Structure formats: structure tokens, C-alpha cells
Amino acid sequence: MNDRIKALYQSHILVNAKDTSHQGKLEDATHVLEAYNPMCGDQYTVSLKIVDDVIEKATFDGFGCAISKASTAVLTKQIEGKTLVEIKPFIELFHELVNELSDQSPESLTSDEDLLAFAAAREFPERKVCATLSWEELLLSLRGSMMK
Amino acid sequence: MFNPETIKQQFPIFKQKTPLGQDLVYLDNAATCQKPLAVIDRITDFYAKEYGTVGRSSYWPATETTKNYNEVRGKVQRLLNAAHEDEIVFTSGTTDAINKVANSFLRPRLNAGDVVIISEMEHHANLIPWQQICTEKGALLKVIPILDSGELDYEALESLLTNKVKLLAVTGVSNALGIKNDLLRIIKAAKGFEVPVFIDAAQSVAHSEIDVVALHCDFLVFSGHKIYGPTGVGVLFGKRERLREMAPLSYGGGIVKEVTIEAASFQQSPNKHEAGTPNIAGVIGLGAAVDFINEIGYAEISAHTKAITGYALEQLKAMEGIQVIGDVDDRAPVISFVMEGVHAHDLSTFLNEKGICIRAGHHCAQPLMHRLNLMATARISFAIYNTKADIDALIIALKETQAFLS
Ligand SMILES: Cc1ncc(COP(=O)(O)O)c(C=O)c1O
């Protein structure tokens, strides 16, 4: 097993992929997003409870590879408590983190280890879509109706 | 004596290392095969030494090109044991051929309330073209279901057949599971109701001998790139009377007798069905691929891929936490499996680090995956150059991945 791949799947990602603390559907969801990658079939339903422009609760449900699952788990964990205004730069930061063309080092972007783990995806551009699947969907929703 | 190692040496890609410096273990042959030097050289020579157009140009090199192009038609005719050379039409691939038959053969013959039969295991290419025309015409698309073993439910087929059925389209081999279908049985049943039969042979021609006369199918299609030939070229076999009664597959130059502003009259097939400048280099390369197959011979090819498939199955079944999908005695060189606790995409990323290419996902067969309650499988598929050493490398890597991920 080489270091590159170990880094990609380092314990943070494997642990988050198995973390069920934010799995499930919210009874009182105000917004439900469907993140789907038709190329591979990965599919997550992200439930959000947004009150006064603050994400109070976020959970997910669905199926996919370890990377998409871990990234969805991290997303739902980390957006809780954030305002809609804060979310957009946060997602942009995550995109920068996994962007293999970025000129910013991952460590200069964040010190959060759960997020930093995904920087290994820079070595695997074909897996970037897995890492950003749910994040992308949330960004699209923010640009669409959610902000209005 | 047949030796897969010497065969492998005929494929230049295996002389290189992967970007990580390993030997390439290529196990995605159901998607596309690597190319032997003979095919690559033939295409290079064509462009470098004899390139011209096909048709009625009366100068060299076009005369040479036309002769070579049409010789390939004869080679494909013999490969499929078709009765006539004019039953072979070149297309850009399997998908293209299916769409063309759907448009040109099915569409004008299909009315509201008619039925088209496909199977539950079809590749999307042999599903969506028929589905769309059925929707457009208010016709019904009916499905031969599969059993839990993965095999077609042949008894169910018999209950689907009526004289409302205008076409039965089925694959020879499931690209997702490697299940082989009993085409003789299907076609015999269909012929009882005079139903035209369309065979998707994309997964068949690389490893098994095809005889369209013995099969009695009306159409049979395949792609060049899955039989060691180039991309962008494929074959439509159609029975002579079918191709003659059909309107041109597409319209343009090279297919006409006489044209006025108001009307056009057309040549006979196969010319009628090959409008425009075709993929000449593709066809020439396909000819070299057919020669390559013939030089080894189907007996050796089938025996070898069968032995490799058997060896791989044995090794996989001996592993803990691996479930092979589809329970059949005799399968094509395609195996789908799932590893407990490990998603197929993660598996394929891990194997790629070892220079091992496998396919992960739904294999363009979503209805089949739904039926089997699977979101994704890992698929390995073999060609003439695969060796036992390839399988051994795979199994070692699978075990390492399992230890790390699950
Ligand atoms: C059974 C089957 N049908 C159709 C196709 C489509 O072939 P192509 O992409 O060459 O048109 C494939 C290839 O993936 C296949 O396996």
C-alpha cells in the first residue's frame, strides 16, 4: 500500500465514512437536497433545518463510496450552527482544499483535520467529484432558492 | 502452442509501466480492449502509405483504399458466417447501429398498442433507443425478467410473445454480469410468432464464434473497439431482405442513384446505409483486428478466456467477504462482485494504485442493478492477453485493500 493512497483514506476519512451521528432524515426538515452522481450512482439525501437563516440541524441518508460518504458526513457536522451567509465561503474553502490546481497549501486554508484529510484528493482528481458531491449540491441550492 | 505471454508481447501498451511504475494489469476488457501492434501498424500504414477516400474515385490511392475497405466487409461476413457480403454495414459502433435500426427499421413499423421486447439485463444502449420510440408511438416495451441466478426467465419470455410484438432485442452476454443468454432458444421462440430479432453482440464477438445463419437473427451488432480494433467503428449485420426493405440508416452523399431538388433514389445495401465519408481507417483497422482473431482462432481464444475466468472465480470464491454476482455454470469472461464493507469505487481507486484496472459502478445497466438490489459492483473482464499472474496480482491487491478498508 503506497503513501499516496494511505493519505487519501487516512483514518479521518474512514472514520467519518462510518460515523452515523448525522445519518438519517430530519422529521422537521425545512430543506431537503438530493446529491446524485449519475456516473457512479452515489446518492445522498441531505436534510436541513434552517431557522432564521441559521442551519440548526443537518443530516444525511444514502449510499456511496467512502469518500463521498465521509465528505457528506463532515459537511452535515460542520454546517450546523452556521448562517447561510457563512456557508458559501465555507464551501468555497472546501473546493479550494480539494482543487489540484490550487496554489494555496491545504494547511494555509484550514487547520481542521477532518477537512484537511480531503486535501489528499488533490492527488486523485478523478475522485474530486466524490469529495464535493454533497457540497456542490448545497452550493447550488444556496445560489438558487434557499437564499431568497 | 498458445501462450498468453507471447500474445501480451504483441500489445505495445504492456511494454510500458504505469505512472506509478508498475506493470499494467488490464481487467476492463468488457469496456474496451487494448490494441495489438498489427492493428496499430495497419492503421498507421493506411494513413502513411495508401490514404484516400472510398467510392468511385478512379485514381490511386482511392482505388486501393476502396478495395481494402470492401475487403473488410468480406472478412466480417466470414467472421459472422453471414450469407452475403451486402449484409454487413459499417457503423460507428454498437450504440450507433442500435439507434439506426431503431429509427430506420422499428419506427416506421411500430404502431400504438404494439409491443417491443427487451430483457432486464440490457446495456442502456440496447434499451433507451427502443424505449424512446415506444414512448413516441404509444407502444409497450416489455421485459424478459431475470431469475435470482441472473439468467433470463425463458418461460416468462414465452408468455410475452404475441403477434403484437414488432421486435425482440436482446444481448448475447450481460456486460455487467457475464451471463450468457441462450440465443438459439430465444430466437426460436420469437420466430414462432414471426418476430424479428435483434442481437446486441457487443460482449460476444471478442470471445465466441458467431454464426448468424445458424442463429437466424435478423440483426446483430458489435463494436470494433471491444474486439481489439479501433474505436469509432462498428458493424451492423442485417438479413439481406431486412436491409433492402429499410430506408437508408442516414441520408447524405454516396448512397444515391439519382437526386433532384424534390426527390432522391437510393442504391442497394450496403451502400444505401453508409451515407457520408465513413470511418475508413476504423474499418481498415477492424479488418486487422479480425485477422488477429482469426490467426489465434476462436477455439484458443474461448478456451483461454474460459480458463482465466474459471481461475479468477475459484480465487474470488475462496476469499472471505467477496460475493460474486450471478450464479451460473458457464459465463463469459466477465465477473461482477462486491466486497463486504468496501464500495466498488474505493476498491477501484486502491487497485489503480497497483496498476490494476477494474470497473466500478452500474455498468450502464441500471435496471439490472435495481433488480439485483445493487448500487454498484466491481467488475473484472478478461481478454486473450490476460494471464494467471494478472489474477494473482488482483487477488493479492484485493486482500490488502480489504485489510485496510473494511
Ligand atoms: C452489451 C453492450 N451493448 C452495447 C454497448 C455499447 O457499445 P459502444 O459503446 O461501443 O457503442 C456495450 C459497451 O459498453 C455493451 O457492453
Short mmCIF file of all heavy atoms in Angstrom, two decimals, chain B residues 30-31 92-96 98 121-126 171-176 200-203 222-226 233 359 363-364 379, ligand 1:
data_model
loop_
_atom_site.label_atom_id
_atom_site.label_comp_id
_atom_site.label_asym_id
_atom_site.label_seq_id
_atom_site.Cartn_x
_atom_site.Cartn_y
_atom_site.Cartn_z
N ALA B 30 -14.26 -5.68 -20.92
CA ALA B 30 -15.66 -5.57 -21.34
C ALA B 30 -15.98 -4.14 -21.75
O ALA B 30 -16.88 -3.89 -22.55
CB ALA B 30 -16.60 -6.03 -20.23
N ALA B 31 -15.23 -3.19 -21.19
CA ALA B 31 -15.42 -1.79 -21.61
C ALA B 31 -14.72 -1.57 -22.95
O ALA B 31 -15.33 -1.09 -23.90
CB ALA B 31 -14.86 -0.84 -20.57
N SER B 92 -20.66 3.48 -36.63
CA SER B 92 -19.59 4.00 -35.78
C SER B 92 -19.49 3.20 -34.49
O SER B 92 -18.64 3.47 -33.66
CB SER B 92 -19.78 5.48 -35.51
OG SER B 92 -20.81 5.69 -34.60
N GLY B 93 -20.35 2.22 -34.30
CA GLY B 93 -20.25 1.39 -33.10
C GLY B 93 -21.58 0.70 -32.82
O GLY B 93 -22.54 0.84 -33.60
N THR B 94 -21.62 0.00 -31.71
CA THR B 94 -22.85 -0.70 -31.32
C THR B 94 -23.99 0.28 -31.09
O THR B 94 -25.09 0.11 -31.61
CB THR B 94 -22.60 -1.50 -30.02
OG1 THR B 94 -21.53 -2.43 -30.24
CG2 THR B 94 -23.84 -2.25 -29.58
N THR B 95 -23.71 1.31 -30.32
CA THR B 95 -24.74 2.29 -29.98
C THR B 95 -25.32 2.91 -31.24
O THR B 95 -26.55 3.03 -31.39
CB THR B 95 -24.14 3.38 -29.07
OG1 THR B 95 -23.58 2.75 -27.91
CG2 THR B 95 -25.18 4.39 -28.65
N ASP B 96 -24.44 3.28 -32.14
CA ASP B 96 -24.87 3.88 -33.40
C ASP B 96 -25.74 2.90 -34.19
O ASP B 96 -26.80 3.27 -34.72
CB ASP B 96 -23.61 4.26 -34.19
CG ASP B 96 -23.93 4.93 -35.51
OD1 ASP B 96 -24.81 5.80 -35.54
OD2 ASP B 96 -23.27 4.59 -36.52
N ILE B 98 -27.55 0.42 -33.10
CA ILE B 98 -28.85 0.21 -32.45
C ILE B 98 -29.78 1.39 -32.75
O ILE B 98 -30.93 1.21 -33.15
CB ILE B 98 -28.69 0.02 -30.92
CG1 ILE B 98 -27.85 -1.24 -30.63
CG2 ILE B 98 -30.08 -0.11 -30.25
CD1 ILE B 98 -27.47 -1.43 -29.16
N MET B 121 -31.61 -7.31 -18.48
CA MET B 121 -30.16 -7.17 -18.30
C MET B 121 -29.50 -6.32 -19.37
O MET B 121 -28.29 -6.30 -19.49
CB MET B 121 -29.49 -8.54 -18.25
CG MET B 121 -29.58 -9.31 -19.54
SD MET B 121 -28.45 -10.71 -19.60
CE MET B 121 -29.20 -11.90 -18.52
N GLU B 122 -30.30 -5.59 -20.17
CA GLU B 122 -29.68 -4.86 -21.29
C GLU B 122 -28.80 -3.69 -20.83
O GLU B 122 -29.10 -3.01 -19.85
CB GLU B 122 -30.77 -4.33 -22.24
CG GLU B 122 -31.59 -5.41 -22.91
CD GLU B 122 -30.76 -6.50 -23.55
OE1 GLU B 122 -29.78 -6.19 -24.25
OE2 GLU B 122 -31.09 -7.69 -23.35
N HIS B 123 -27.76 -3.48 -21.59
CA HIS B 123 -26.96 -2.25 -21.52
C HIS B 123 -27.90 -1.10 -21.93
O HIS B 123 -28.77 -1.30 -22.78
CB HIS B 123 -25.81 -2.38 -22.52
CG HIS B 123 -24.80 -1.29 -22.48
ND1 HIS B 123 -25.01 -0.05 -23.03
CD2 HIS B 123 -23.55 -1.26 -21.97
CE1 HIS B 123 -23.93 0.69 -22.86
NE2 HIS B 123 -23.03 -0.01 -22.22
N HIS B 124 -27.70 0.07 -21.35
CA HIS B 124 -28.58 1.20 -21.69
C HIS B 124 -28.67 1.43 -23.20
O HIS B 124 -29.69 1.89 -23.70
CB HIS B 124 -28.10 2.49 -21.01
CG HIS B 124 -28.16 2.43 -19.52
ND1 HIS B 124 -27.49 3.30 -18.70
CD2 HIS B 124 -28.82 1.59 -18.68
CE1 HIS B 124 -27.73 3.01 -17.43
NE2 HIS B 124 -28.52 1.97 -17.40
N ALA B 125 -27.60 1.09 -23.91
CA ALA B 125 -27.60 1.27 -25.37
C ALA B 125 -28.64 0.40 -26.05
O ALA B 125 -29.16 0.75 -27.12
CB ALA B 125 -26.21 0.96 -25.94
N ASN B 126 -28.95 -0.75 -25.46
CA ASN B 126 -29.93 -1.65 -26.08
C ASN B 126 -31.27 -1.56 -25.35
O ASN B 126 -32.07 -2.48 -25.35
CB ASN B 126 -29.42 -3.09 -26.08
CG ASN B 126 -30.16 -3.96 -27.09
OD1 ASN B 126 -30.62 -3.48 -28.12
ND2 ASN B 126 -30.31 -5.24 -26.77
N THR B 171 -29.39 -8.98 -25.58
CA THR B 171 -27.93 -9.08 -25.65
C THR B 171 -27.51 -10.55 -25.64
O THR B 171 -28.22 -11.41 -25.08
CB THR B 171 -27.28 -8.32 -24.49
OG1 THR B 171 -25.88 -8.26 -24.71
CG2 THR B 171 -27.51 -8.98 -23.14
N GLY B 172 -26.38 -10.82 -26.23
CA GLY B 172 -25.84 -12.18 -26.19
C GLY B 172 -25.26 -12.49 -24.83
O GLY B 172 -25.37 -13.61 -24.32
N VAL B 173 -24.64 -11.47 -24.24
CA VAL B 173 -23.95 -11.63 -22.96
C VAL B 173 -24.21 -10.38 -22.13
O VAL B 173 -24.13 -9.27 -22.67
CB VAL B 173 -22.43 -11.78 -23.17
CG1 VAL B 173 -21.66 -11.61 -21.87
CG2 VAL B 173 -22.10 -13.13 -23.82
N SER B 174 -24.51 -10.54 -20.86
CA SER B 174 -24.67 -9.38 -19.98
C SER B 174 -23.31 -8.74 -19.74
O SER B 174 -22.40 -9.38 -19.21
CB SER B 174 -25.29 -9.79 -18.65
OG SER B 174 -24.95 -8.84 -17.66
N ASN B 175 -23.19 -7.47 -20.11
CA ASN B 175 -21.91 -6.78 -19.89
C ASN B 175 -21.64 -6.56 -18.41
O ASN B 175 -20.50 -6.40 -18.00
CB ASN B 175 -21.88 -5.43 -20.63
CG ASN B 175 -22.84 -4.44 -20.00
OD1 ASN B 175 -24.04 -4.70 -19.94
ND2 ASN B 175 -22.32 -3.33 -19.51
N ALA B 176 -22.69 -6.57 -17.59
CA ALA B 176 -22.49 -6.32 -16.17
C ALA B 176 -22.15 -7.59 -15.40
O ALA B 176 -21.37 -7.56 -14.46
CB ALA B 176 -23.74 -5.67 -15.58
N ASP B 200 -27.64 -7.82 -29.64
CA ASP B 200 -26.52 -6.96 -29.24
C ASP B 200 -25.37 -7.90 -28.91
O ASP B 200 -25.35 -8.55 -27.87
CB ASP B 200 -26.93 -6.13 -28.02
CG ASP B 200 -25.77 -5.31 -27.45
OD1 ASP B 200 -24.63 -5.48 -27.91
OD2 ASP B 200 -26.03 -4.50 -26.54
N ALA B 201 -24.41 -7.97 -29.83
CA ALA B 201 -23.29 -8.91 -29.67
C ALA B 201 -22.02 -8.19 -29.22
O ALA B 201 -20.92 -8.71 -29.37
CB ALA B 201 -23.05 -9.67 -30.96
N ALA B 202 -22.19 -6.99 -28.63
CA ALA B 202 -21.02 -6.20 -28.21
C ALA B 202 -20.09 -7.01 -27.31
O ALA B 202 -18.87 -6.88 -27.38
CB ALA B 202 -21.47 -4.93 -27.50
N GLN B 203 -20.68 -7.85 -26.44
CA GLN B 203 -19.86 -8.62 -25.50
C GLN B 203 -19.59 -10.03 -25.99
O GLN B 203 -19.03 -10.84 -25.25
CB GLN B 203 -20.56 -8.69 -24.13
CG GLN B 203 -20.64 -7.38 -23.40
CD GLN B 203 -19.28 -6.81 -23.04
OE1 GLN B 203 -18.28 -7.52 -22.97
NE2 GLN B 203 -19.22 -5.51 -22.84
N PHE B 222 -22.11 -5.15 -33.29
CA PHE B 222 -21.00 -5.13 -32.33
C PHE B 222 -20.08 -3.95 -32.64
O PHE B 222 -20.21 -3.30 -33.68
CB PHE B 222 -20.23 -6.46 -32.32
CG PHE B 222 -19.47 -6.79 -33.57
CD1 PHE B 222 -18.13 -6.46 -33.68
CD2 PHE B 222 -20.08 -7.42 -34.64
CE1 PHE B 222 -17.41 -6.76 -34.84
CE2 PHE B 222 -19.38 -7.72 -35.80
CZ PHE B 222 -18.03 -7.40 -35.90
N SER B 223 -19.16 -3.69 -31.69
CA SER B 223 -18.22 -2.56 -31.82
C SER B 223 -16.81 -3.08 -32.10
O SER B 223 -16.39 -4.07 -31.49
CB SER B 223 -18.15 -1.76 -30.52
OG SER B 223 -19.39 -1.19 -30.23
N GLY B 224 -16.06 -2.36 -32.93
CA GLY B 224 -14.69 -2.74 -33.21
C GLY B 224 -13.78 -2.69 -31.99
O GLY B 224 -12.92 -3.54 -31.81
N HIS B 225 -13.99 -1.69 -31.14
CA HIS B 225 -13.03 -1.47 -30.05
C HIS B 225 -13.06 -2.56 -28.98
O HIS B 225 -12.15 -2.65 -28.18
CB HIS B 225 -13.24 -0.09 -29.41
CG HIS B 225 -14.51 0.04 -28.63
ND1 HIS B 225 -14.55 -0.13 -27.27
CD2 HIS B 225 -15.78 0.33 -29.01
CE1 HIS B 225 -15.80 0.06 -26.85
NE2 HIS B 225 -16.56 0.33 -27.89
N LYS B 226 -14.13 -3.36 -28.97
CA LYS B 226 -14.18 -4.45 -27.99
C LYS B 226 -13.60 -5.74 -28.55
O LYS B 226 -13.57 -6.76 -27.86
CB LYS B 226 -15.62 -4.67 -27.52
CG LYS B 226 -16.18 -3.51 -26.70
CD LYS B 226 -17.52 -3.86 -26.10
CE LYS B 226 -18.35 -2.65 -25.77
NZ LYS B 226 -18.23 -2.22 -24.37
N VAL B 233 -15.75 2.54 -34.85
CA VAL B 233 -16.23 1.69 -35.94
C VAL B 233 -17.00 0.52 -35.35
O VAL B 233 -16.68 0.01 -34.26
CB VAL B 233 -15.07 1.21 -36.84
CG1 VAL B 233 -14.13 0.27 -36.11
CG2 VAL B 233 -15.60 0.54 -38.12
N ARG B 359 -13.43 -2.10 -13.32
CA ARG B 359 -14.52 -1.16 -13.48
C ARG B 359 -15.40 -1.20 -12.24
O ARG B 359 -15.65 -2.27 -11.71
CB ARG B 359 -15.31 -1.59 -14.72
CG ARG B 359 -16.49 -0.74 -15.03
CD ARG B 359 -16.10 0.63 -15.57
NE ARG B 359 -17.32 1.36 -15.83
CZ ARG B 359 -17.95 1.32 -16.99
NH1 ARG B 359 -17.46 0.63 -17.99
NH2 ARG B 359 -19.08 1.98 -17.17
N HIS B 363 -22.34 -0.10 -14.55
CA HIS B 363 -22.02 -0.72 -15.84
C HIS B 363 -23.09 -0.44 -16.91
O HIS B 363 -23.38 -1.30 -17.75
CB HIS B 363 -21.81 -2.23 -15.68
CG HIS B 363 -21.00 -2.56 -14.46
ND1 HIS B 363 -19.70 -2.13 -14.31
CD2 HIS B 363 -21.32 -3.20 -13.32
CE1 HIS B 363 -19.25 -2.52 -13.12
NE2 HIS B 363 -20.21 -3.15 -12.51
N CYS B 364 -23.64 0.77 -16.87
CA CYS B 364 -24.67 1.14 -17.85
C CYS B 364 -25.80 0.12 -17.91
O CYS B 364 -26.32 -0.18 -18.99
CB CYS B 364 -24.09 1.33 -19.26
SG CYS B 364 -22.93 2.67 -19.35
N ARG B 379 -16.23 -4.88 -11.36
CA ARG B 379 -16.29 -5.82 -12.50
C ARG B 379 -14.90 -6.05 -13.05
O ARG B 379 -14.16 -5.10 -13.28
CB ARG B 379 -17.18 -5.26 -13.59
CG ARG B 379 -17.34 -6.21 -14.78
CD ARG B 379 -18.10 -5.58 -15.91
NE ARG B 379 -17.30 -4.57 -16.59
CZ ARG B 379 -17.74 -3.82 -17.59
NH1 ARG B 379 -18.99 -3.94 -18.01
NH2 ARG B 379 -16.96 -2.93 -18.17
C1 LIG C 1 -23.75 -5.21 -24.12
C2 LIG C 1 -23.32 -3.88 -24.64
N1 LIG C 1 -24.10 -3.22 -25.52
C3 LIG C 1 -23.76 -2.04 -26.03
C4 LIG C 1 -22.59 -1.42 -25.68
C5 LIG C 1 -22.26 -0.09 -26.28
O1 LIG C 1 -21.16 -0.19 -27.11
P1 LIG C 1 -20.46 1.11 -27.70
O2 LIG C 1 -20.20 2.00 -26.54
O3 LIG C 1 -19.22 0.59 -28.33
O4 LIG C 1 -21.40 1.71 -28.69
C6 LIG C 1 -21.74 -2.04 -24.79
C7 LIG C 1 -20.46 -1.42 -24.39
O5 LIG C 1 -20.25 -0.91 -23.32
C8 LIG C 1 -22.11 -3.30 -24.25
O6 LIG C 1 -21.34 -3.93 -23.37
#
